[in-house]
Amino acid sequence: MEEFKKITSNAIPLPMVNVDTDMIIPKQFLKTIKRTGLGKNLFYELRYDEKDVPIDSFVLNQDKYKESKILITGKNFGCGSSREHAPWSILDYGIKCIIASSFADIFYNNCFKNGILPIKLDETEVSKLQKAAENSLSFTIDLENQKISYIEDNKNHEINFDLDKAKKTSLLEGLDDIGLTLAKVNHISDFENRQESKTPWLYSQKIK
Amino acid sequence: MSAPKTLYDKIWNEHLVTNNDDGTSIIYIDRHLVHEVTSPQAFEGLKITNRSVRKPNFTLATADHNIPTTNRDAGISDPESKLQVDTLEENCKEHGITFLSMSDKRQGIVHIIGPEQGFTQPGMTIVCGDSHTSTHGAFGALAWGIGTSEVEHVLATQTLVQTKAKNMQINIRGELPIGVTAKDIVLKIIQTIGTAGGTGYVIEYTGEAIESLTMEGRMTVCNMSIEAGARAGLISPDEKTIEYLEGKPFSPSENEYKFASDYWLSLASDHGAAYDKVIDIDASDIIPQVTWGTSPEDVVSIDGLVPNPEDERDDSKKKSMIRALEYMGLSPNTPLKEVKIDRVFIGSCTNGRIEDLRAASEIARNRKVADHVNAIIVPGSGLVKEQAEREGLDKIFIESGFEWREPGCSMCLAMNADKLKPQERCASTSNRNFEGRQGRGGRTHLMSPAMAAAAAINGRLSDCREI
């Protein structure tokens, strides 16, 4: 996984609430056996009409947002299906940071597995940032210092954000979660031994 | 004596491998269900890093999302779907994982076959790369949906790194009125707390109305915990749980069963256990529910009206209501019972079990599906299908004009050929009414099997109690 340090970019404003993962990446694109190549279909049904023609009014189709690395959106983003294809498509498009007032649980966790930083802020701050994003201002996201900064009307604005320590480290260092757990494989084996003596039927199950 | 604990607290403690320095915990995973859509990239990850599956016999795989529900003998015609299913089969073979193929009569939707096979048991931790894994919570198992990276993590380590969620109790007090089902309970709950109401919590469902449900009904309630945003949904194990699991293929053997069931019963939440949040709903207030919009929280009672965005004060909520009504092709204040439908889907991991088919068949018996309606019944598994046929339910449905299909996820997410055309309106027993969920432009109304069958007969949304 690529490490996340600091990014600077304008931000895509998508002021919708309850954006679900079906909306982020519809089911017809879940038939892939790869993680890559999904970016062109991100927000497919909002982005293209029934003949596959880009819908001009949709924000991702506007030239100024084509290189954006940040998405600013509404509460409960990523609800619904657990499909990791949602963060894969977001990352493949080039977005590395999502700002919202809340995220659905599975999606939120999936982001960290893919080097995407989801930032939770309160609703007033999110709407302030939405406005700035509509004016295509440039934002800097500094993970190390947990700070969002941008310049508006010649004034420097800074917003701090909270983040769980473990999640921060994993993003900053691009850690291999499985490798870290396997380093504690002795604990796992000990657990299995304890569990097998307490609830032996869990270990003797066979399909009949 | 130690402080009273919830079922969730107990299962967590029983599966704690170790606490990490950063505040997270390594939690042991007893059982892992695998399907074709969210696993190929996980197996690929194992290959790249040269890792193996730690516990192949704790893992059970099947294909459900992509497979056709008609003419199984012809195989899968969509090449991409076929590749995905074939890839799963090869991966299972390579790693020694049991795979129930499309031709196996035990095949079905992962969340139907887990309990059916006794693979699901109280007190277990169970995961699957599918958000509706919460279904298994009906047995008092801590079960939740994960992404593909975590599927890989479980395959390689049989554990997950977790932070503990908070405890929420949703108490459904009293007795359910006649004609009101588990689906109506859970739709009412989602309407009450909202689709983000459960975020950060594991919900435990309690109360007389929950206790009185069959295991099938309890699965329906726990299934849609994710639609309320919760990490998992749970119901404490009781005599019904023990009775249901006895003699199932994966259940503990006869001579271990008493020992195992005593252990299971000891996991039930202790009297006086503390919850971080408590919601109380009076069962007698619940009548059959349907959704009107594009979020599972957009719920009204069947005798109600399509809501009016003008009555909504919250601006962003109002905007999303306007958008939903436009997508659904509905005008504010229309009585729900006047809404005409084109399609009916009875099935899914929410409502594809035998009890659901029985309820729908009661309505369908000696009646005809309205001329303009196409209605399909998709059993949740091969065993559900076989049981229904043994009871003659297939004949009732076919005589009424329903199509009787092969098991799978089907039109719940429309990854196979079963999908709505743009603007088609569907009475569906599935779990999500999102835009495009059942096909681009398709309009979904969620409801119980009896309600969907009633809609099929009348050709419009209807109250199943009035048939």
Side-chain angles (χ1 to χ4, degrees):
Chain A
M1 191 173 83
E2 204 180 316
E3 326 167 337
F4 187 114
K5 300 273 190 238
K6 196 187 259 191
I7 55 171
T8 297
S9 151
N10 68 348
I12 304 162
L14 187 71
M16 289 172 71
V17 297
N18 294 327
V19 172
D20 58 76
T21 53
D22 272 84
M23 203 180 257
I24 297 172
I25 187 83
K27 74 272 231 141
Q28 62 268 37
F29 305 111
L30 307 188
K31 297 182 182 182
T32 176
I33 56 168
K34 302 277 165 217
R35 289 170 201 250
T36 50
L38 289 164
K40 59 181 185 295
N41 301 317
L42 174 64
F43 293 117
Y44 183 81
E45 286 175 10
L46 298 172
R47 197 166 150 199
Y48 305 99
D49 69 14
E50 278 156 37
K51 290 181 181 128
D52 245 4
V53 178
I55 300 166
D56 291 340
S57 59
F58 185 62
V59 66
L60 259 66
N61 291 327
Q62 295 169 20
D63 279 339
K64 60 181 175 185
Y65 297 118
K66 285 197 169 147
E67 302 292 318
S68 299
K69 294 179 185 152
I70 304 163
L71 177 71
I72 304 180
T73 186
K75 69 171 180 197
N76 199 28
F77 186 80
C79 60
S81 153
S82 63
R83 58 189 71 167
E84 200 160 315
H85 308 68
W88 293 337
S89 63
I90 287 170
L91 186 70
D92 195 61
Y93 180 89
I95 295 167
K96 299 267 292 165
C97 171
I98 308 168
I99 302 172
S101 59
S102 64
F103 293 88
D105 199 50
I106 304 176
F107 177 83
Y108 185 75
N109 281 321
N110 280 341
C111 282
F112 292 97
K113 309 286 178 194
N114 291 282
I116 299 171
L117 169 64
I119 299 178
K120 289 185 223 176
L121 295 175
D122 64 55
E123 282 192 31
T124 29
E125 277 176 325
V126 175
S127 33
K128 224 188 287 171
L129 292 176
Q130 284 280 5
K131 290 211 174 64
E134 279 160 20
N135 295 325
S136 198
L137 300 183
S138 180
F139 300 84
T140 294
I141 314 281
D142 177 354
L143 175 57
E144 179 72 57
N145 296 303
Q146 296 179 223
K147 202 164 32 182
I148 304 168
S149 54
Y150 62 102
I151 297 170
E152 192 173 33
D153 303 329
N154 293 324
K155 263 201 304 222
N156 193 26
H157 297 261
E158 283 190 355
I159 298 174
N160 295 308
F161 59 89
D162 291 329
L163 187 64
D164 175 84
K165 199 174 108 195
K167 291 193 155 63
K168 178 177 176 179
T169 316
S170 137
L171 278 184
L172 279 174
E173 299 178 13
L175 296 175
D176 165 23
D177 289 351
I178 299 177
L180 290 178
T181 301
L182 284 176
K184 299 192 173 174
V185 71
N186 289 342
H187 289 280
I188 300 174
S189 303
D190 290 349
F191 176 89
E192 286 169 343
N193 292 335
R194 283 201 307 275
Q195 194 189 39
E196 186 169 4
S197 56
K198 184 168 180 186
T199 52
W201 63 88
L202 290 176
Y203 287 76
S204 56
Q205 263 189 3
K206 273 191 198 79
I207 194 147
K208 287 169 198 161
Chain B
M1 214 180 93
S2 62
K5 289 189 184 67
T6 64
L7 169 60
Y8 174 53
D9 295 337
K10 294 185 198 181
I11 300 178
W12 176 274
N13 292 343
E14 292 278 289
H15 290 84
L16 180 62
V17 172
T18 183
N19 288 316
N20 293 322
D21 297 336
D22 58 19
T24 61
S25 304
I26 298 182
I27 294 296
Y28 197 75
I29 303 302
D30 295 325
R31 295 296 181 263
H32 187 190
L33 291 155
V34 174
H35 67 82
E36 77 277 21
V37 178
T38 57
S39 66
Q41 295 87 350
F43 284 108
E44 187 196 28
L46 292 183
K47 189 170 273 177
I48 292 168
T49 49
N50 199 23
R51 288 171 178 146
S52 56
V53 176
R54 184 171 177 86
K55 288 281 184 188
N57 58 335
F58 286 10
T59 315
L60 178 66
T62 194
D64 55 4
H65 282 60
N66 256 309
I67 57 172
T69 57
T70 50
N71 193 13
R72 282 281 166 83
D73 298 335
I76 303 174
S77 58
D78 177 343
E80 280 182 296
S81 298
K82 184 172 185 322
L83 177 64
Q84 220 171 32
V85 173
D86 290 347
T87 304
L88 177 60
E89 186 162 7
E90 279 161 31
N91 284 328
C92 288
K93 205 176 285 172
E94 186 183 335
H95 293 282
I97 294 167
T98 303
F99 173 68
L100 302 180
S101 78
M102 214 166 72
S103 56
D104 192 311
K105 73 171 182 186
R106 297 165 299 174
Q107 177 272 336
I109 306 172
V110 272
H111 309 309
I112 305 259
I113 68 175
E116 210 167 63
Q117 294 300 318
F119 191 74
T120 302
Q121 292 169 19
M124 281 179 168
T125 47
I126 302 175
V127 295
C128 174
D130 190 282
S131 59
H132 290 110
T133 309
S134 57
T135 312
H136 308 267
F139 290 81
L142 180 62
W144 70 101
I146 56 177
T148 300
S149 297
E150 290 193 320
V151 169
E152 185 181 338
H153 196 285
V154 176
L155 288 171
T157 70
Q158 206 57 37
T159 68
L160 278 176
V161 177
Q162 293 283 296
T163 46
K164 200 174 173 206
K166 288 183 281 187
N167 281 288
M168 184 190 291
Q169 179 188 30
I170 297 187
N171 190 49
I172 314 291
R173 185 166 27 90
E175 203 179 321
L176 276 183
I178 290 168
V180 178
T181 65
K183 186 64 164 283
D184 303 304
I185 296 180
V186 71
L187 287 173
K188 181 75 187 175
I189 289 171
I190 299 163
Q191 181 204 37
T192 307
I193 71 171
T195 51
T199 306
Y201 290 93
V202 165
I203 298 175
E204 183 177 345
Y205 303 98
T206 62
E208 298 89 341
I210 297 292
E211 288 159 21
S212 72
L213 293 174
T214 58
M215 290 314 294
E216 284 85 354
R218 293 178 187 186
M219 284 188 252
T220 301
V221 172
C222 288
N223 172 275
M224 288 187 72
S225 302
I226 185 69
E227 270 65 55
R231 186 173 301 169
L234 284 169
I235 294 172
S236 281
D238 62 10
E239 291 302 331
K240 279 187 193 170
T241 321
I242 289 165
E243 200 180 309
Y244 180 98
L245 287 172
E246 193 161 8
K248 294 275 189 283
F250 280 101
S251 288
S253 63
E254 222 171 296
N255 51 12
E256 283 175 307
Y257 205 71
K258 174 81 175 72
F259 184 52
S261 14
D262 287 347
Y263 169 75
W264 295 342
L265 291 176
S266 77
L267 296 171
S269 287
D270 296 329
H271 186 71
Y275 294 85
D276 300 285
K277 193 170 182 178
V278 178
I279 307 277
D280 192 66
I281 294 173
D282 185 343
S284 64
D285 286 345
I286 307 176
I287 77 161
Q289 307 282 305
V290 290
T291 60
W292 58 266
T294 54
S295 166
E297 68 188 20
D298 298 340
V299 173
V300 280
S301 297
I302 184 61
D303 58 4
L305 305 176
V306 173
N308 190 343
E310 292 310 315
D311 301 335
E312 177 60 54
R313 287 196 190 154
D314 180 311
D315 200 46
S316 71
K317 190 95 205 267
K318 185 170 170 174
K319 269 190 209 146
S320 68
M321 280 175 84
I322 294 170
R323 183 187 168 89
L325 289 179
E326 195 187 336
Y327 180 86
M328 292 297 290
L330 292 173
S331 314
N333 304 322
T334 308
L336 264 296
K337 287 189 210 165
E338 286 176 12
V339 176
K340 216 175 136 187
I341 54 133
D342 310 298
R343 305 279 296 269
V344 171
F345 170 63
I346 297 177
S348 85
C349 58
T350 314
N351 283 125
R353 285 170 283 268
I354 188 67
E355 178 181 286
D356 302 314
L357 303 191
R358 286 178 191 144
S361 73
E362 283 306 308
I363 302 283
R365 191 190 298 274
N366 300 325
R367 296 191 178 91
K368 291 282 176 205
V369 171
D371 285 342
H372 68 278
V373 172
N374 166 271
I376 64 171
I377 312 268
V378 183
S381 72
L383 294 180
V384 169
K385 183 170 186 248
E386 195 180 67
Q387 174 69 23
E389 289 174 351
R390 212 177 294 138
E391 296 177 17
L393 307 186
D394 57 325
K395 292 198 182 68
I396 297 174
F397 287 126
I398 293 165
E399 275 164 25
S400 301
F402 287 88
E403 290 176 28
W404 181 245
R405 299 290 189 90
E406 299 294 334
C409 296
S410 178
M411 212 160 71
C412 173
L413 87 165
M415 260 190 97
N416 68 355
D418 309 334
K419 52 179 70 128
L420 298 180
K421 295 189 193 80
Q423 282 81 54
E424 270 188 331
R425 188 180 299 284
C426 181
S428 179
T429 67
S430 54
N431 41 58
R432 289 187 176 134
N433 51 351
F434 296 154
E435 287 183 23
R437 172 79 178 181
Q438 294 192 296
R440 185 172 186 150
R443 295 161 172 168
T444 304
H445 295 272
L446 303 175
M447 63 196 75
S448 74
M451 288 287 286
I457 303 299
N458 288 336
R460 54 181 168 76
L461 301 182
S462 304
D463 189 333
C464 59
R465 300 170 304 174
E466 290 167 1
I467 282 220

